[in-house]
Each structure stands twice: as C-alpha cells, then as structure tokens.
Amino acid sequence: MTRPRPRIPAPAPIERASRCAWREASRAKLDPGEQGALAALSRWIEEPDRPYAILHGRHPSRRAVVAAHLVRAQQEGTAYAAHLVPIGPDLKLERDILALLTSRLLAGCGGGPPRWLRMRIAKEHLRVGPTDDDPSLLLAITDVEEAEPLVSWPGLFAAVGPRVKVLATVEGDDAAAHAWLQRLGFDPARTRIHPLPVRPWPAPGDPTKLLATTGAASAELLGLLSVAYGRLREDEIATALGAPIESALAGIEPLVTAIEGTYAFRSNAARREVEERLDRDARDASIRRLLSLPPDEYPCAYARAHLEQAAAPLQAFAALVTEEHLARWMARPEAYLGFVADLERVRRHAVEALASGHEAAALAVRAALVEASVNSCARREDHDAPVGVELIDREKRIADERDQARALIALGSAMTAGPARAEVLAWAEDATRRIPEADFRGDAFLSLAEIVGGEARYAFAREALAAFRTTENAEDRAHQMLFMAKELPPEEGITVAREAFRSLRDGAGDPGRAEIFVSDFPRAVAEALWPDAEALPAPARAQVLAALARALGDPERVRTAFAALEQHPDPYNLDQHWRVTQLVPFLDASEARRAAALAPQFGERAAELVEELIPRLIALGDPAEDLLEALPEASRVRALARSLPFAAEPARLRARIDEVVRKAEPLERYGLFFDVGPWFAATGDSDAMLAWIATLSDAHHQVALGFLARHDPAHAPELTRRALSLALRLGAGEPDRLLELLPLARHFPAEGAIAAIGLLLDALAGDYRDAALAGDGVSLVKLAPLIAAIAGDDGLSGAAREVVQVAAWFP
C-alpha cells in the first residue's frame, strides 16, 4: 500500500485548527478593557529590552482574541512577521505545537523528528533571529495552559535573538502568570506581564446556563467534546454516543463549532467551563467512550495523552511501544512521526519512574531502541535531507548482530553471577554466532571468553580462534593467534603461539611485531616460548625477548633482553624507546643508567624514556638529579610526580611540584594537571590540584573533577557528585561530558543518576540502532554501568531482553 509522505509542516488538522482560531478571534470586536490591553502590548512591541510578554486573565476573558488582533495589526505593517500559534483543539500535544511552529517559522522544511525540529526552531529561528534583510519576528502563543501537562516546553524560548518577540497568553491571576515564566523559559527581568479584565459570557453563550437547560444527549455530547483532544469527526461522535449527532446538537450551537465535518468547542474558555463541571464518573465515562473507538482512529493519536492526564501506571504506556501501535500510526498522515512523539513521552515517563522501580529501566531502553530502529529504517540515501521524510522501509534488514552481541556482552558483564546473567550471556552467544564476518565473530567470542570462567572461557576462546584462523592475510592471522594464546589453557596456548611464530619467521610478516601480543602472556606460556624467541633473527629477537621478559619479570631474563636491545639499536625506529620502557620497572640501577644513555637515539621520544627511568632510579636510591635537570620543565614535573610513590620525603616532593605548577600560565597548569594527576591524586591531595585551576571555567572543572575521581579513591564519591552536577548543568547538548563520568556511576546520587540516564537515553534514541547499541557515542555498551547503578541486575537483564526483542521486531 502506498502511504502519503509524512510532513510535519502544517498537517491538515493543525492548519484547520489554526484557521478556525484565527477566524473566530479576528472577527470579534474588542471591548474597552481589551483595547487597553492591545495598546499596552503595542507599546511592549517597541521595547527593545523586553522580548517576552504574558497576557493573563480568568475565563471567559478573551486573551486569544487580543493576541490575534495584535498579530493582525503587525501583519498590516512591515516591521514584523507576526504569527499566531493558537493552542486548542488539535494543538494540545507537543508534536502538534512543534508542527505549527515549524510551518510558521520553517516554511521550507520537509519534516523531521521532533527533537530535530526543536533544535532548528530554537537555534536557527529564535536564538539567532531574523537576518538583516527580513522583518523582525512576533510569535503569539495563546492559551498555553491548554497544553498542560502534555507538553514539556523544551526551552525553546530560553534565549531569543535581538529582533524576536514572544507573547504567551495564560489563564489565571498574576501568580499564575509568574509561574509560567520558568516553564516557558522567559527571563523574568525581560518579561512584560499584562492583566486582562474578565468580561461576562456573551448571551446565549454562557456554558453554565446552557448546561442547566440542555437535554441528556446534548450534555453527553458536551462532556465528550470537553475531554477530547483534537476535533471529533461526526462518525466518531455518533459511534461514541450510540446515536446521530443532530439531536444532541440542538440548543448548544453557541458553544460548538463545526468545520469540515468535525466538531469542537468554539472557545477554550467554554470547554474548560464544561469540563470543570463534569463529575468524575461522567468524565471517566466520556473518556472510555473515546478510547473504545476503533484503535487506529482517535485512540491511536490520543491514547497517550489520556494516559498522561489520568496519571496512569507505567505499564499502561507499554502498549504504545508495540508493533501494533506503529502499524496504526503508519496508516495515518503523520506516519511514524506521530509514533516517535509517543516514544519520546513514554521514555520520559519511564525514566521518571526509575526512582520507584527497576522495571521502568526496560521500558525506557525499549522506547529508545525502537526509536533508533525507526531512524535506521527511515534512513535516506541523501544524507543532507532531514530524517523523517521518507517512507519507512522495513524490507531492508538493519542486520546489526555484531552490535547486538557487544551490547549484550556489556550488559551481562555488569551483572552478578547467577541464572539471569547466564541467560543474558546465552543471548549474547546466539547473536555472536549470527555475525557473518569471521573477524568480528572472533572478537565477540573473545569478549565472551574474557568475562566467563572455567571451561566456558576456554570454549569461547577456541571458537574465537577458529574464526580467526579463517583470516586470509597470513600476518594478521598470526597476530590474532598470538593474541588468543593467553586465553587458552597453557598447553594449547603454547602450541598456538609457536605456530604463529613459525608463520611469521617463515615470511608471513615481521616477527618483531609479535612483541605487541606477547607482553601479557601467562607466565607458563612466556617461559615455554623464550627459546622460540631466542631463535628469531635480530632485531626481532630483541623486541620479542623484551616483551616476554616483562611478562616473566625475572631479573636474569630482563638482563638478557636488555642486552639484546643494546646490541641491536634501531636509530630509525623511534618506537624502540617503548621496548626499553616496558623493561624499566625491572631494571637494576646500572641497567637503568645504561638505558638513560640510550635515550638520545630516540630523538623527540627521549624525554619520555627518561621520565620513566627517573622514578625507577629514585626507587633504587639514586636521586637522578642530573637527569631531572636535563629535562624540559613539563617533563621534569611529570617525572617528579611519578616518583611520589617512591620518595623518601613525599611532602617535600609534592611542595616542589606544586611550586612549579603554580608558576605556569592557567591553561598550561590545566595541561600539567592531567600530567601529574594520577600520582598526585593518589596521595589524597585533590583539593590542592583543584586550586591550580580555580580561575578556569566550569567546563574545565567538570573534566578535572571526573579525572580526579578516577585516581583518588578516598574522595571519589564527593568528586563524582560535584562533576556530575556540573555535567548536568552544562546541558543536554553535550552528552560526552556525562559519558566520561559513567565509569564512576556507582558514586552517582540517585537523583543525578536518573537525570543523567534521561539525557543519555534521549541522545541514544536520536541515533541509528547500530550506534545506539554499541557506537562511539551514547550507546548501551557505555550505559551499562549507569543502568547497573540505578536498577541493578533487574535493570540490566530487562535492558538485555529489549535488545533481543527489538531486534526481532526490526530485524
């Protein structure tokens, strides 16, 4: 079936609602009190330092009428491009308000996800404002309370350009108007607040009098319209009432307006007056009638809104994150854009519910992964076009088994041992076996081997080895085999490593590069392979012996390896300093001095080797002052910091480092902060380090606090709390700040952890599914420690189950 392309700008119901509100408001004549309010707003338009205004009054004050007259007056001039955004029927939900804002401000936009539209509206058209060639902008948003609590005003107006004016009309007194300032993001110091006098209901339009004289059918119709979102079609009303609409309309025509076969209240004030007079039973009965309509009609678009208004339990929202609900939306003009708007709100409710139950974690993850999957299905070949304008394509597989496996392994590895963890790892194994690329399949099996014990570890390692043996490039295959040797039982590891050595020695590649893989061999494997390494040609022999000697830590083997490195210098290979460096912790004093003598041949890397040697010499009783003095200042400070664990007088050494750092320029101090941090913070002196960067920004401090928390265990909880508070304050647009802190999630305070996961799941949902599972940005792999901290094993297991179920839904 061919479906219409979803387009957010001015869908028919929204355009219809806007036309209706404009017609009703602009044809009304203003009374003296309303004319006075209009004159005050006209003066506000001329105030350059007041971008915001609120017009308030109790119903039936005609706030929207005054706003419409202001817009019309500005449209008749040339100074302002004025737009009315009338909240009412069809405009109570966030997606609808965004749609109308988009159609008014982004006339050339072809659609997009709600968060993308928020960003475009806020950044490009409100915060920057019109260009010099365009008129100034006036945006009049009427009856904002009609959208409460179904719209979390997303800070669209927190910062507006110098040629932007925003008017909001609200019901209530002066206190109610002030309460709206923070919600809308208006700066109180730059907001003009105007009261509007109450006027009597027009005869015969007083809802109270009409309700007192109307019949039962008419009362039922008014009750139905008062709780409905959007305009109801005639056939929907007839179905809900069980009778034709004509008899129910008799006598209440002054309250109801009919447009293109749809019905709604003529004004928000009248609707609210009727709704407030409904008793609970009548209200609930009207809502039940609406929600019993065919599920692909009214309930599809507004079930979520009714659940929110009723403060329904979280599990009631789970029905909106299903394949059936997506199918209903896909049959509507809004298509998956309406579905994604539901997902965003469900995820928000699930995150809020995390404070009282672990089961909410699974629904939050499900909503995020489903949205990311929809993004993947809607991906365009033209990547410059906004996501959300192309028909969803579920015929083409997403096929991200590798990323599923990585996410499941990360979630499982964060769990404690038990049946639930075993189930998650079984799902991970199944996903791993379905990875088509042998190298990636081997990587996943290796990851499984690293987190299980006993025979299972060896079984996964053998699976990984079998996958790596199919690698076509002989050198890559040999290196992968060497890497696997440490995961196998010692006897098998020795056999595999010797096979790899033979392959490299016989021409498969540079045998010296084996050093990268053998330095962390188990002792038994390193011992057995020593003769094989000694048989390698020079200089590969020196390289591999040095790596094995580090694994063994035996003084005699270290002496042999170091002598080989001295005997086979490679002045054209500056990386050789690393081979000497890895032996430094095992050198005696004379060998360390000889190593220092080798340093100049490594050119610009010489200082790095000397920095490593100085702490070793100090630990052996040699103060190494001659080497210290020869180093550049930054290298000297790093060397001194590394020496702190071995210093005879650590306090004196700390003072020496502190003196050097304080003399540096602020940003230079910031660099030195991270150079000396691991050793300085380990002494518990984090406050002294923070004093070094006291004059820098909050962003610098947030990074520094997180860094210190990783190296100062005694103060990690407090440092983490401070870092998290700053990261959350710096905004949702920088998720990397939160990602850096996730390894410390166990120290997050509960409220901060929930705020963090809300922001991060929002970022995850906005990506494609493969990235959401295991990408470089926000992904489930990175969120595992945070889910563990908030919801424990139940949350991790629930998240893993959603990885599997969403992958089955969107294969």
Side-chain angles (χ1 to χ4, degrees):
M1 181 179 75
T2 302
R3 299 187 181 94
R5 291 161 62 100
R7 292 178 58 85
I8 275 195
I14 294 172
E15 194 61 60
R16 181 178 58 205
S18 182
R19 288 199 314 270
C20 174
W22 178 259
R23 184 168 65 247
E24 292 282 337
S26 61
R27 71 166 56 146
K29 293 188 179 297
L30 299 182
D31 63 23
E34 292 165 343
Q35 290 175 351
L38 177 61
L41 289 173
S42 298
R43 291 192 296 272
W44 160 71
I45 289 285
E46 303 301 323
E47 295 183 83
D49 58 342
R50 301 271 184 168
Y52 308 113
I54 290 181
L55 179 66
H56 69 89
R58 297 187 180 278
H59 61 258
S61 64
R62 299 189 304 176
R63 303 174 299 276
V65 170
V66 175
H69 278 258
L70 178 70
V71 168
R72 186 172 64 183
Q74 296 303 317
Q75 287 178 341
E76 290 171 353
T78 58
Y80 276 87
H83 302 291
L84 187 70
V85 182
I87 297 176
D90 293 307
L91 282 167
K92 292 183 182 179
L93 305 185
E94 190 165 300
R95 68 164 190 269
D96 301 327
I97 293 170
L98 287 168
L100 191 59
L101 284 171
T102 303
S103 67
R104 298 299 180 261
L105 302 180
L106 302 176
C109 172
R115 86 184 63 226
W116 184 87
L117 292 173
R118 284 199 294 266
M119 179 271 291
R120 288 285 305 276
I121 292 168
K123 290 186 178 178
E124 296 184 22
H125 293 269
L126 292 176
R127 294 179 193 174
V128 175
T131 64
D132 291 340
D133 296 332
D134 295 326
S136 298
L137 172 66
L138 169 63
L139 204 57
I141 309 173
T142 64
D143 297 317
V144 296
E145 72 281 345
E146 282 289 300
E148 276 293 281
L150 304 173
V151 172
S152 58
W153 296 91
L156 290 176
F157 314 110
V160 296
R163 295 171 56 221
V164 175
K165 294 277 187 176
V166 183
L167 165 67
T169 77
V170 303
E171 180 183 342
D173 56 14
D174 190 67
H178 278 86
W180 270 98
L181 292 173
Q182 183 177 5
R183 242 175 294 179
L184 293 170
F186 287 10
D187 180 355
R190 300 196 299 151
T191 302
R192 185 70 69 193
I193 297 179
H194 302 281
L196 187 61
V198 176
R199 65 192 305 276
W201 286 102
D206 186 337
T208 305
K209 293 180 180 178
L210 287 173
L211 281 171
T213 59
T214 190
S218 298
E220 287 184 359
L221 173 58
L222 289 175
L224 201 67
L225 293 176
S226 74
V227 299
Y229 295 98
R231 305 183 64 84
L232 292 177
R233 299 196 314 267
E234 182 174 340
D235 61 318
E236 290 177 320
I237 294 173
T239 301
L241 294 179
I245 191 175
E246 287 78 12
S247 59
L249 278 173
I252 60 172
E253 292 89 345
L255 298 182
V256 177
T257 178
I259 299 178
E260 300 173 11
T262 66
Y263 294 83
F265 273 90
R266 192 174 297 278
S267 71
N268 288 329
R271 186 201 68 76
R272 291 170 71 85
E273 193 78 21
V274 171
E275 184 185 28
E276 288 171 2
R277 281 164 172 71
L278 289 179
D279 61 40
R280 185 179 182 86
D281 290 341
R283 178 184 176 82
D284 291 347
S286 294
I287 293 173
R288 281 196 301 273
R289 286 176 172 177
L290 291 171
L291 294 181
S292 66
L293 293 170
D296 58 339
E297 297 180 0
Y298 181 92
C300 175
Y302 300 113
R304 187 257 297 168
H306 284 292
L307 291 173
E308 289 182 352
Q309 283 282 46
L314 181 64
Q315 286 309 311
F317 289 89
L320 306 180
V321 195
T322 62
E323 199 162 359
E324 294 77 18
H325 193 55
L326 172 60
R328 294 180 195 120
W329 271 114
M330 291 302 293
R332 298 175 63 87
E334 305 96 322
Y336 55 87
L337 296 176
F339 179 63
V340 166
D342 279 355
L343 292 179
E344 288 188 325
R345 298 288 294 189
V346 171
R347 187 173 65 253
R348 196 173 303 154
H349 287 298
V351 168
E352 291 168 355
L354 280 170
S356 56
H358 293 174
E359 67 277 2
L363 184 57
V365 169
R366 179 176 182 81
L369 284 180
V370 168
E371 184 176 340
S373 300
V374 170
N375 294 341
S376 296
C377 291
R379 192 188 310 226
R380 291 175 59 99
E381 290 184 5
D382 176 4
H383 294 291
D384 291 332
V387 174
V389 298
E390 185 162 272
L391 293 179
I392 193 167
D393 177 10
R394 294 185 56 207
E395 299 300 319
K396 183 178 179 181
R397 287 173 51 82
I398 298 175
D400 51 14
E401 292 91 348
R402 179 195 181 199
D403 301 295
Q404 292 169 37
R406 293 170 64 192
L408 291 167
I409 290 168
L411 294 167
S413 65
M415 298 174 69
T416 55
R421 184 178 193 256
E423 183 179 37
V424 172
L425 294 182
W427 294 334
E429 179 183 354
D430 177 67
T432 296
R433 294 189 184 282
R434 289 184 282 108
I435 298 173
E437 302 89 350
D439 283 0
F440 292 154
R441 188 167 63 251
D443 289 338
F445 273 125
L446 178 58
S447 296
L448 282 167
E450 290 171 345
I451 64 171
V452 299
E455 281 303 315
R457 177 187 185 92
Y458 295 142
F460 285 136
R462 293 183 186 109
E463 295 261 22
L465 178 62
F468 290 143
R469 281 188 179 278
T470 64
T471 300
E472 292 185 11
N473 183 280
E475 184 177 22
D476 290 345
R477 183 168 64 249
H479 291 161
Q480 289 168 333
M481 292 169 67
L482 283 170
F483 189 76
M484 289 307 307
K486 67 179 184 298
E487 303 294 340
L488 296 165
E491 299 80 7
E492 293 179 48
I494 292 167
T495 300
V496 168
R498 280 181 172 152
E499 180 184 347
F501 271 171
R502 282 196 303 270
S503 177
L504 291 169
R505 193 176 56 221
D506 294 343
D510 177 8
R513 290 192 62 205
E515 65 178 325
I516 300 171
F517 307 97
V518 305
S519 60
D520 56 352
F521 272 180
R523 185 175 184 84
V525 177
E527 283 274 11
L529 293 175
W530 186 268
D532 298 81
E534 287 188 309
L536 290 173
R541 178 170 64 253
Q543 297 168 213
V544 178
L545 285 176
L548 288 174
R550 177 175 178 83
L552 292 168
D554 176 69
E556 188 60 37
R557 299 291 174 80
V558 169
R559 190 171 299 116
T560 300
F562 184 61
L565 287 173
E566 286 184 299
Q567 189 178 4
H568 300 287
D570 186 357
Y572 301 104
N573 185 353
L574 299 184
D575 286 338
Q576 190 169 349
H577 84 286
W578 174 76
R579 294 161 193 144
V580 179
T581 298
Q582 65 181 340
L583 294 178
V584 166
F586 309 102
L587 298 178
D588 61 25
S590 65
E591 290 166 340
R593 281 291 175 175
R594 282 156 50 200
L598 292 175
Q601 74 178 354
F602 302 128
E604 62 186 24
R605 301 290 184 89
E608 295 178 30
L609 175 57
V610 176
E611 284 178 35
E612 297 280 349
L613 285 165
I614 287 172
R616 178 61 177 166
L617 285 166
I618 291 175
L620 294 170
D622 181 342
E625 288 292 343
D626 57 323
L627 298 179
L628 279 166
E629 291 304 317
L631 286 175
E633 185 169 75
S635 294
R636 188 184 317 133
V637 172
R638 286 193 293 267
L640 289 172
R642 293 180 182 191
S643 303
L644 277 170
F646 316 110
E649 298 179 80
R652 184 176 177 183
L653 188 53
R654 282 201 302 273
R656 184 177 175 183
I657 296 168
D658 184 71
E659 180 182 6
V660 174
V661 175
R662 287 180 183 275
K663 288 180 179 178
E665 293 296 321
L667 289 178
E668 185 182 351
R669 284 203 302 273
Y670 190 63
L672 289 171
F673 179 101
F674 297 100
D675 287 337
V676 307
W679 299 276
F680 219 92
T683 68
D685 208 359
S686 292
D687 285 342
M689 294 186 65
L690 290 172
W692 296 342
I693 59 169
T695 60
L696 297 182
S697 68
D698 283 350
H700 289 98
H701 274 263
Q702 182 260 310
V703 175
L705 287 163
F707 177 80
L708 288 176
R710 289 190 286 274
H711 296 284
D712 184 354
H715 300 100
E718 173 60 17
L719 292 167
T720 300
R721 184 191 64 76
R722 291 164 62 187
L724 178 63
S725 176
L726 285 174
L728 290 171
R729 200 172 79 208
L730 288 169
E734 300 183 66
D736 285 352
R737 294 191 176 279
L738 290 170
L739 288 180
E740 291 170 359
L741 298 176
L742 291 191
L744 301 162
R746 65 190 181 280
H747 300 309
F748 286 7
E751 185 176 347
I754 291 171
I757 202 168
L759 291 173
L760 291 171
L761 281 176
D762 193 56
L764 181 151
D767 215 329
Y768 298 121
R769 192 177 75 191
D770 56 349
L773 289 168
D776 293 333
V778 181
S779 67
L780 276 184
V781 166
K782 294 180 181 177
L783 286 181
L786 183 55
I787 296 172
I790 293 173
D793 284 354
D794 290 344
L796 292 164
S797 177
R801 184 172 290 106
E802 297 305 337
V803 170
V804 175
Q805 292 182 351
V806 172
W809 177 3
F810 292 91

